[in-house]
Amino acid sequence: MESVELPPRQPPDVTGGPPPAPDVTGGRESEHFLMFFPWIRVGAWAGTALLAAAVVGCEPTNEAGTTPAATTSSNTPSAPASPTATATPPAPPDLSTLPAETLLARTKAAASAAPGVRVKGLLVDSTGDLRLDLQLSKGGGQGAFVLAGTPITYRVVGKDVYMLMSEATIRAMAKADKASKAETSAMLSLLKGKWIKPSKIDAEGRALIDMTKQGTFFKDFFAEIGRPTKTGKKVVDGVLSVGLVAQGATLWVDTRTARPVRFQNGAGRDFMTFTDYGRVPAPKAPPAGLIVDGKGLGI
């Protein structure tokens, strides 16, 4: 199959669930990965630490109901039941037979229409590892980011944004600001275990927030793919998949549903997995007693 060369891009500077994230260092391979995310920059994380975050994933619960079978009684012997034929449902179509660009269009539509999805992954560059765990839904999302060993937490509910910083992150910020021991203690007393509701959000912070919304996440994710080529079929993360390849990166998609399964660069270091379709709970606002108004903090 003839591959199509995509136009070169300027990569940004800037992410596991099963299977475990590989232990990696370095970062040249992230250039391929970042062609799909021109709006992610590691510099933005350092400059907007308060606008990144991690929310512990909630295990979704499902309710199931059953209808009792109807019973009848009769003094008259019933006629023998006539045998009924059981129809065999048709097998789902094998989407791997579609042309690469047609399959990509189906994948975009399937990802956007899915009722929620969990995205986990790792991104590596010269500044260190960026790990993410996102739970995306139509009305908002929640996720976990760890950069340079410091976890930061955020939650988006509709148009409202809430941020939760770990103690390690608060101490790291205090150290960077050369805060005294007393000032650090005051910061911990005010912010530890509390959700900050910011009064203003800069452009880079807005990009991070958009990552937690299913619609904007996939819109930006697919924006830079271009015209991919197609691989053969392969079982990826337990799902029979077909790969869409561009500039050394591969997006594996389900051959039955066209939904994304795994995104991985050529070296296998930077990756994202897509799981739990339809099983991600909608996020809820934190309890009022745990919310801190960011306006008083200048945030």
Side-chain angles (χ1 to χ4, degrees), residues 220-234:
D220 291 326
F221 179 80
F222 288 115
E224 301 297 322
I225 288 185
R227 299 177 60 188
T229 57
K230 192 175 63 173
T231 72
K233 291 187 288 187
K234 175 183 176 180

Side-chain angles (χ1 to χ4, degrees), residues 149-153 164-172 188 191-193:
T150 57
I152 308 174
T153 310
L164 177 68
M165 294 184 292
S166 67
E167 179 175 347
T169 302
I170 297 172
R171 289 186 179 278
L188 288 170
L191 300 178
K192 184 178 178 181

